């Protein structure tokens, strides 16, 4: 007898934290261009598309959009879902809504939790294991408003102590890779059957009893390893039917009870690693699976339907450290050179992993002792306070903060004690973030993932020293890092990498004031502004200039939103050349001090020499000073763009002149079929690209009315005649953003001129032969058409001229409007006569 097959696709959605450890925000990442950073890029390619995955007809036109999260099992890393909540609220709501819908339809939610910051759990001490699990649970409850049944273990890394903690914290089941199982047996039998080569049957759940207490247990699903691997690294997602064929081959006849065909892959597989994988997943989940007789379920639902009848015993791993899916040697990938590696030359080794792990373990233990010692005077239980601190991380409101300190403080704390407490708790948060698994996963210690975890270590050290730890702590840590040798000769070792890439990223409140002072030379700051995780209040500012010399003097009140550390600071910044800045910062003492400084620095500006002014600044403010190079990368980019604008305009004018002077030469080369000389070609390409950009900007003021696009037509004709390969990157990005914004307006308030502008943008893009990203626009217009389909009253409220325009725009956006069965009739608008 063939039993009914059930299907579950699990997506582990996770990105390593990329936030600067001091700014609590992600700095620009050039490698993710044209997006700001990799989170934004992957969101656009994966997280957002899976919230509204395109379902296409036979002609490749969109006939529906499906929320893949409604039909799949999934987990989102806590640090990632926070980013999505802040940066992409629509997708965030799609994720939450999917879990709610799955509860309504199936009785159980699709979402499961994740250990907080992707720490390799078997290598963590028990105290960190507990915090990782509790923080993961509380983060899940914060977003999904329910307790999680399960928890995703980073890299599925698991050992006995990890299981103990999970059971203690109420986790019902986990998902592992088949090779992590050693033996199985029916619950009512004694004899074990060896499955250590990965031959465990993945179609049923298993029960794993704790060794210390055989009355307690956790249930485990083992995903189908071969199909999961082929989905991630093969070609299954190129076609939904091909994908379903592979899943169907896993089904067996005469199975004992319901059988679950399930795979587990990185969620980013669906759209980021595999382009348009979200579409294949959507077709499989919303059409193909049902047609082949499969019912989609989530793990909790199947566990309720078919509780375990078999027991499993897991492999212990070397020294009881357990196993994982991504290391054939247990968990050695995160502690030594084991042969598991990422990309890079074949002769690169990973011997750096061991000394890096040992250095961080040494730092963790020193920080723990410091934390305990300092917390005795403020917290009833230092480690329970840390476990509960997740509530503050998730919501830094005054109410949450008050509840936290009321519960954990030994007495009513002074402002200084509150700041000290925050510093200590943030020290511990960073001490856990520095164990994020990605830091060891790849081949080279200088990789951005490893530099990132070193940042967290540096931030933890800084907070420790600020709360009274020995000043030598960092130097002792760096001495240990010298043993972690880089494969790149120029980088030498972990210490060199730390000093070259980590130290320059450090930010203090003095640095924030320095950034503010230089930025405010060119822009008027409001009374209070928020800069990353800092509040900057301008209390006084005076700008003066004489000749080429400019001076900005002022007073600011800086406050960290995270630690509540605050400082009242004076600053002065001078600009005495196009790119020459000298900025100094000092603590504010009183009004007399500020008045004296202001008089000495600005009183005789018309007669003072720059050398004398700098000498006075150094005498008054000390040796701490900042220049343009000390700004964070985004501020440097803004500043250098502003400062070089005039020079670049002159260079552009020179290219323009060369192009005009050489037009006859270009004609000659073209007519005799010879390539135009490279120097002349560069001037031509630069000039025509600039002209096209300016023409598009000018046309945008007329809603891209193509009747006014004569200048663009002439530029394109000239470029084609000379075979000039113009750079249209900025235009493409601009048109994409404009189309996104205008279709968002249509979603909120459909007007004829807005719709017409969108159509014009698409016509323009085709005319100038540049691709634009249509995904946001398609999403927005799809929601318009769906709203009209579901509620004719909304359609009747729209101006009579708009519906047909929207249908035309939908067609231009590769949406099949016929799928929405919207009839465009005058009757809909009450104009029958």
């Amino acid at each position: 007898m063939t039993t009914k097959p059930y299907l579950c696709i699990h997506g582990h959605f996770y990105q390593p934290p990329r936030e600067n450890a001091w700014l609590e925000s992600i700095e620009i990442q050039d490698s993710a261009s044209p997006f700001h950073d990799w989170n934004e890029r992957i969101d656009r390619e994966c997280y957002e598309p899976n919230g509204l995955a395109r379902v296409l007809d036979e002609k490749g036109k969109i006939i529906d959009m499906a929320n893949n999260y409604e039909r799949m099992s999934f987990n989102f890393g806590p640090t990632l879902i926070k980013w999505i909540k802040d940066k992409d609220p629509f997708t965030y709501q799609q994720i939450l809504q999917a879990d709610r819908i799955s509860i309504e339809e199936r009785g159980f939610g699709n979402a499961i939790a994740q250990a907080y910051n992707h720490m390799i759990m078997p290598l963590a001490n028990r105290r960190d294991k507990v915090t990782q699990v509790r923080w993961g649970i509380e983060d899940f409850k914060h977003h999904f408003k329910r307790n999680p049944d399960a928890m995703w273990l980073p890299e599925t890394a698991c050992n006995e102590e990890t299981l103990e903690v999970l059971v203690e914290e109420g986790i019902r089941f986990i998902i592992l890779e088949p090779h992590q199982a050693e033996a199985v047996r029916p619950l009512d039998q004694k004899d074990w059957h060896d499955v250590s080569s990965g031959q465990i049957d993945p179609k049923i759940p298993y029960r794993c009893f704790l060794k210390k207490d055989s009355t307690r247990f956790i249930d485990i699903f083992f995903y189908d390893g071969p199909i999961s691997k082929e989905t991630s690294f093969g070609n299954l997602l190129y076609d939904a039917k091909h994908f379903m064929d592979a899943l169907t081959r896993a089904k067996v006849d005469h199975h004992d009870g319901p059988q679950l065909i399930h795979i587990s892959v990185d969620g980013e597989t669906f759209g980021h690693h595999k382009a348009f994988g979200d579409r294949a997943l959507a077709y499989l989940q919303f059409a193909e699976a049902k047609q082949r007789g499969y019912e989609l379920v989530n793990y909790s639902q199947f566990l309720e339907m078919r509780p375990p009848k078999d027991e499993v015993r897991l492999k212990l791993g070397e020294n009881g450290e357990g196993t994982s899916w991504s290391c054939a040697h247990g968990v050695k990938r995160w502690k030594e050179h084991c042969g598991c590696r990422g990309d890079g030359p074949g002769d690169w080794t990973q011997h750096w992993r061991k000394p890096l792990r040992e250095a961080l373990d040494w730092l963790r233990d020193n920080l723990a002792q410091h934390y305990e010692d300092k917390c005795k005077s403020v917290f009833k239980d230092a480690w329970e306070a840390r476990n509960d601190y997740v509530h503050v991380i998730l919501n830094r409101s005054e109410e949450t903060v008050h509840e936290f300190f009321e519960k954990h403080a030994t007495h009513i704390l002074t402002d200084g004690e509150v700041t000290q407490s925050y510093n200590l708790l943030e020290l511990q948060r960073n001490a856990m973030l520095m164990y994020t698994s990605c830091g060891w996963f790849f081949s080279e210690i200088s990789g951005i993932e490893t530099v990132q975890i070193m940042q967290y270590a540096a931030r933890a050290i800084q907070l420790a020293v600020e709360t009274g730890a020995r000043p030598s702590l960092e130097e002792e840590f760096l001495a240990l890092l010298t043993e972690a040798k880089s494969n790149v000769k120029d980088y030498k070792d972990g210490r060199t990498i730390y000093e070259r890439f980590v130290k320059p990223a450090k930010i203090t409140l003095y640095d924030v004031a320095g950034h503010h002072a230089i930025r405010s030379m060119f822009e008027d700051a409001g009374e209070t502004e928020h800069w990353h995780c800092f509040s900057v209040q301008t209390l006084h500012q005076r700008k003066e200039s004489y000749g080429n010399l400019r001076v900005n003097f002022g007073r600011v009140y800086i406050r960290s939103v995270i630690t509540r550390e605050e400082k009242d600071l004076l600053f002065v910044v001078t600009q005495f050349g196009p790119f020459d800045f000298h900025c100094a910062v000092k603590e504010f003492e009183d009004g007399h001090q500020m008045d004296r400084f202001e008089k000495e620095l600005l009183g005789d500006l018309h007669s003072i020499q720059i050398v004398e002014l700098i000498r006075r600044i150094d005498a008054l403010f000390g040796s701490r000073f900042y220049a343009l190079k000390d700004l964070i990368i985004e501020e440097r980019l803004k500043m250098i763009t502003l400062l070089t604008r005039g020079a670049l305009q002159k260079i552009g004018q020179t290219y323009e002149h060369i192009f005009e002077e050489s037009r006859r030469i270009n004609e000659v080369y073209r007519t005799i079929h010879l390539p135009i000389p490279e120097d002349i070609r560069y001037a031509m390409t630069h000039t025509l690209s600039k002209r096209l950009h300016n023409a598009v900007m000018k046309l945008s003021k007329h809603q891209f009315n193509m009747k006014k696009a004569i200048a663009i037509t002439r530029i394109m004709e000239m470029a084609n005649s000379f075979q000039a390969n113009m750079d249209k990157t900025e235009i493409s990005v601009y048109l994409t953003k404009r189309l996104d914004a205008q279709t968002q307006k249509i979603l909120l308030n459909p007007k004829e001129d807005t719709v017409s502008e969108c159509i014009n943008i698409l016509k323009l893009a085709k005319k100038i032969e540049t691709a634009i990203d249509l995904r946001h626009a398609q999403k927005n217009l799809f929601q318009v058409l769906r709203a009209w389909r579901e509620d004719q009253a909304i359609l009747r409220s729209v101006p009579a001229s708009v519906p047909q325009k929207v249908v035309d725009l939908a067609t231009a956006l590769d949406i099949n409007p016929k799928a929405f069965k919207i009839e465009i009739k005058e009757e809909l608008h009450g104009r029958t006569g």
Side-chain angles (χ1 to χ4, degrees):
M1 177 182 177
T2 301
T3 57
K4 183 176 181 179
Y6 294 87
L7 179 63
C8 179
I9 310 291
H10 181 81
H12 164 51
F13 293 93
Y14 165 75
Q15 287 298 303
R18 295 186 166 95
E19 287 78 6
N20 176 295
W22 291 269
L23 299 175
E24 297 287 339
S25 58
I26 303 175
E27 297 182 77
I28 193 168
Q29 296 174 315
D30 291 339
S31 58
S33 181
F35 301 97
H36 177 272
D37 55 70
W38 277 100
N39 275 21
E40 184 178 300
R41 177 170 174 172
I42 297 170
D43 179 60
R44 192 70 175 249
E45 295 173 350
C46 176
Y47 310 132
E48 179 193 323
N50 276 291
L52 278 179
R54 279 70 172 157
V55 180
L56 309 180
D57 63 16
E58 66 279 0
K59 294 182 179 179
K61 304 299 181 184
I62 299 169
I63 56 174
D64 202 356
M65 289 192 184
N67 186 347
N68 279 337
Y69 304 117
E70 290 179 11
R71 300 291 176 94
M72 69 188 301
S73 170
F74 62 84
N75 71 277
F76 274 86
T79 53
L80 173 61
I81 200 168
K82 178 186 182 302
W83 183 93
I84 294 174
K85 180 182 180 182
D86 294 341
K87 302 296 184 180
D88 186 357
F90 177 84
T91 297
Y92 175 72
Q93 290 302 325
Q94 290 291 93
I95 294 166
L96 302 190
Q97 181 183 11
D99 189 65
R100 290 193 295 267
I101 289 174
S102 63
I103 293 173
E104 293 170 4
E105 294 182 349
R106 303 174 177 181
F108 300 91
N110 289 345
I112 68 172
Q114 179 197 290
Y116 189 75
N117 65 268
H118 221 262
M119 182 186 292
I120 299 301
M121 296 291 278
L123 296 178
N125 61 32
R126 191 180 188 98
R127 195 159 51 205
D128 283 356
K129 286 185 177 75
V130 171
T131 302
Q132 285 287 308
V133 173
R134 288 192 186 177
W135 283 22
I137 290 172
E138 292 304 321
D139 183 89
F140 183 92
K141 289 163 63 177
H142 175 77
H143 296 290
F144 295 99
K145 312 305 179 189
R146 64 180 179 86
N147 289 313
D149 286 339
M151 176 163 285
W152 180 266
L153 296 175
E155 306 296 334
T156 72
C158 183
N159 69 343
E160 184 67 20
E161 188 176 68
T162 302
L163 296 181
E164 291 171 6
V165 172
L166 292 170
V167 171
E168 288 169 5
E169 300 303 326
I171 297 299
R172 290 182 58 207
F173 69 87
I174 56 174
I175 306 163
L176 298 181
E177 199 269 348
H179 286 85
Q180 293 179 263
E182 182 176 70
V184 298
R185 65 183 178 185
L187 287 172
D188 57 356
Q189 296 182 19
K190 292 183 178 181
D191 294 334
W192 290 96
H193 303 283
D194 178 63
V195 293
S196 59
S197 297
Q199 66 268 42
I200 191 170
D201 182 4
K203 291 180 282 297
I204 58 174
Y206 297 83
R207 183 150 290 172
C208 185
F209 292 92
L210 299 183
K211 289 182 171 57
K212 287 185 178 180
D213 182 355
S214 60
T215 66
R216 308 188 75 187
F217 59 84
I218 191 167
D219 293 335
I220 303 177
F221 288 91
F222 294 89
Y223 60 78
D224 191 303
I227 303 178
S228 298
K229 185 176 181 179
E230 181 63 15
T231 304
S232 297
F233 306 109
N235 300 324
L236 290 187
L237 287 181
Y238 290 162
D239 181 86
K241 294 181 183 296
H242 184 46
F243 187 15
M244 194 66 218
D245 287 342
L247 293 165
T248 301
R249 286 194 291 271
K251 184 181 69 171
V252 297
D253 294 338
H254 311 293
H255 196 271
D256 179 21
Q259 56 180 308
L260 179 67
I261 312 301
H262 64 113
I263 63 170
S264 182
V265 298
D266 285 347
E268 291 76 15
T269 302
F270 303 112
H272 173 59
H273 298 313
K274 303 290 184 181
F276 307 116
D278 54 295
R279 297 182 183 181
L281 179 62
Y283 192 82
L284 181 142
Q285 293 193 135
F286 286 85
E288 193 68 21
K290 184 177 181 180
Q291 291 171 12
R292 301 208 195 184
Y294 284 76
E295 181 181 338
L296 283 156
V297 296
N298 58 45
Y299 286 112
S300 296
Q301 180 185 2
F302 190 81
L303 193 61
E304 181 75 10
M305 182 191 313
R306 205 281 193 191
K309 299 178 182 179
D310 295 82
E311 180 183 354
V312 66
R313 186 174 70 214
L314 299 180
K315 293 177 181 176
L316 295 177
E318 191 173 309
N319 300 319
E321 289 178 339
T323 57
S324 67
W325 84 264
S326 48
C327 179
H329 316 91
V331 293
K332 286 186 175 181
R333 185 170 194 154
W334 298 276
K335 63 191 285 284
E336 58 188 86
H337 174 72
C338 67
C340 295
R341 48 173 288 146
D343 52 8
D347 61 345
W348 278 10
T349 71
Q350 290 73 54
H351 292 296
W352 53 268
R353 287 174 177 163
K354 186 173 187 287
L356 176 63
R357 168 70 61 175
E358 290 174 345
L360 291 176
D361 285 349
W362 173 89
L363 180 59
R364 174 199 62 199
D365 294 342
N366 274 266
L367 294 174
Q369 187 60 58
H370 170 73
Y371 174 74
E372 277 189 336
D373 292 343
K374 292 295 180 180
C375 284
K376 288 176 182 176
S377 62
V378 289
F379 291 138
K380 300 168 188 173
D381 184 313
W383 299 107
E384 281 303 308
R386 184 180 82 163
N387 289 337
D388 247 11
Y389 183 56
V390 65
H391 296 288
V392 177
I393 295 171
L394 292 168
N395 179 7
R396 296 186 181 274
S397 68
E398 291 298 326
E399 181 181 359
T400 304
V401 169
H402 176 76
E403 289 176 359
F404 173 81
F405 282 109
E406 189 173 52
K407 179 179 179 181
H408 293 285
T410 56
H411 59 280
I412 298 175
L413 304 183
T414 65
D415 289 345
E417 287 175 321
V418 168
T419 299
Q420 176 94 338
S421 300
Y422 269 119
N423 283 339
L424 291 166
L425 291 161
E426 282 297 307
L427 176 159
Q428 282 299 314
R429 180 170 74 95
N430 282 276
M432 285 193 294
L433 287 170
M434 72 187 186
Y435 281 108
T436 301
S437 68
C438 316
W440 287 267
F441 193 84
F442 300 101
S443 298
E444 166 54 20
I445 189 174
S446 61
I448 58 173
E449 297 84 4
T450 314
V451 170
Q452 183 73 29
I453 67 170
M454 288 186 191
Q455 266 202 22
Y456 294 127
R459 177 61 174 148
I461 291 169
Q462 181 189 43
L463 290 164
V465 173
E466 288 178 358
T467 53
R470 60 186 184 277
S472 63
L473 191 64
E474 183 175 51
E475 183 56 38
E476 295 170 50
F477 177 65
L478 290 177
L480 296 173
L481 285 183
T482 59
E483 298 301 315
K485 305 300 181 183
S486 170
N487 291 291
V488 181
K489 185 177 180 181
D490 187 45
Y491 294 152
K492 297 180 182 177
D493 52 38
R495 179 185 188 123
T496 303
I497 292 163
Y498 182 100
E499 291 176 336
R500 187 176 297 189
F501 299 115
V502 175
K503 278 190 173 181
K506 288 185 178 181
I507 297 287
T508 66
L509 297 188
Y510 289 93
D511 300 325
V512 176
H515 276 76
H516 172 83
I518 295 175
R519 286 187 299 116
S520 62
M521 289 282 284
F522 301 94
E523 55 187 50
D524 292 325
E527 184 176 326
T528 301
E529 64 174 358
H530 294 281
W531 188 74
H532 297 281
C533 63
F534 300 97
S535 171
V536 183
Q537 183 180 3
T538 301
L539 301 176
H540 175 72
Q541 184 164 302
R542 178 181 169 189
K543 298 178 184 179
E544 297 287 349
S545 61
Y546 185 79
N548 293 326
L549 176 63
R550 302 177 67 207
V551 181
N552 184 21
F553 177 84
R555 176 188 171 195
V556 287
Y557 187 75
I558 312 287
R559 186 172 188 263
S560 168
V561 175
I562 306 298
T563 65
R564 304 203 172 192
E565 182 186 8
E566 52 196 18
K567 283 192 181 295
D568 196 340
L569 300 167
L570 293 177
F571 69 79
V572 62
V573 56
T574 64
Q575 181 188 11
F576 47 89
F579 314 111
D580 300 309
F581 295 84
H582 185 87
C583 174
V585 178
K586 185 179 180 66
E587 282 201 58
F588 171 82
E589 295 174 4
D590 54 46
H592 296 297
Q593 174 214 38
M594 186 174 76
D595 292 342
R596 179 169 62 86
F597 280 21
E598 186 170 352
K599 184 177 180 180
E600 286 198 36
L601 296 175
L602 301 178
D604 54 356
L605 196 62
H606 64 285
S607 60
I608 195 172
Q609 295 291 319
I610 183 62
V611 175
E612 172 60 21
L613 180 60
I614 298 299
R615 189 196 65 75
R616 289 185 189 178
I617 291 173
D618 291 346
L620 295 173
F621 281 81
S623 59
R624 184 196 299 268
F625 70 92
Y626 305 90
L628 197 60
K629 65 179 178 60
D630 299 310
L631 299 180
I632 64 172
I633 185 169
E634 286 185 64
E635 298 298 339
R636 268 181 279 151
L637 282 170
K638 289 178 186 177
M639 291 292 293
I640 201 66
T641 300
L642 183 66
L643 294 169
T644 59
R645 185 181 298 163
L648 291 175
Q649 286 176 347
K650 289 181 180 179
I651 293 172
Q653 290 168 1
T654 301
Y655 283 133
E656 183 98 20
H657 178 72
I658 293 171
F659 171 68
E660 291 296 338
E661 288 289 314
S662 61
R663 283 182 67 170
R664 177 57 184 154
I665 298 175
N666 291 340
E667 288 284 353
V668 171
Y669 274 91
R670 184 173 65 85
T671 55
I672 63 175
H673 307 294
L674 288 177
I676 297 170
E678 196 59 36
D679 290 344
I680 297 176
R681 176 174 291 280
Y682 185 85
M684 174 182 63
T685 302
H686 177 90
T687 300
L688 292 178
S689 298
K690 182 181 175 183
R691 286 183 181 179
L692 181 63
H693 181 273
N694 292 341
V696 169
M697 294 301 106
K698 186 175 181 180
L699 189 65
S700 69
K701 297 177 182 178
H702 302 283
Q703 294 187 304
F704 300 96
N705 186 336
M706 296 306 291
K707 293 180 181 179
K708 299 180 181 293
I710 297 173
I712 290 175
T713 300
R714 290 174 178 168
I715 293 168
M716 291 302 299
E717 289 173 350
M718 187 179 300
N720 291 333
S721 68
F722 290 130
Q723 297 181 332
N725 186 21
M726 292 185 292
D727 182 3
K728 304 167 191 170
T729 306
E730 287 188 16
I731 296 174
S732 175
V733 172
Y734 172 75
L735 292 180
T736 297
K737 289 182 177 179
R738 185 74 172 245
L739 184 64
D740 292 349
Q742 296 307 96
T743 52
Q744 182 68 28
K745 287 183 180 179
I746 297 170
L747 179 59
L748 299 174
N749 183 18
K751 292 183 177 180
E752 183 177 0
D753 58 347
T754 311
V755 181
S756 295
E757 179 174 335
C758 293
I759 294 172
N760 290 340
I761 290 171
L762 295 171
K763 288 179 179 177
L764 174 63
K766 185 176 182 179
K767 183 179 184 64
I768 65 175
E769 301 171 0
T770 188
I772 57 178
D773 189 340
L774 303 179
R775 286 175 291 191
H776 268 194
Q778 290 170 337
K779 176 190 75 175
N780 292 335
L781 212 67
F782 172 83
Q783 291 182 85
V784 172
L785 293 172
R786 184 170 62 182
W788 289 359
R789 178 180 62 191
E790 294 175 356
D791 190 345
Q792 290 288 308
I794 297 176
L795 178 57
R796 285 192 292 270
S797 68
V798 173
S801 59
V802 169
Q804 185 58 54
K805 281 277 189 183
V806 168
V807 167
D808 294 342
L809 175 57
T811 303
L813 287 171
D814 291 330
I815 297 173
N816 182 353
K818 292 181 180 179
F820 294 86
K821 299 177 181 178
I822 297 170
E823 296 184 21
I824 310 300
K825 295 180 179 179
E826 283 295 306
E827 288 83 3
L828 291 176
H829 302 277
R831 293 177 174 81
T832 57

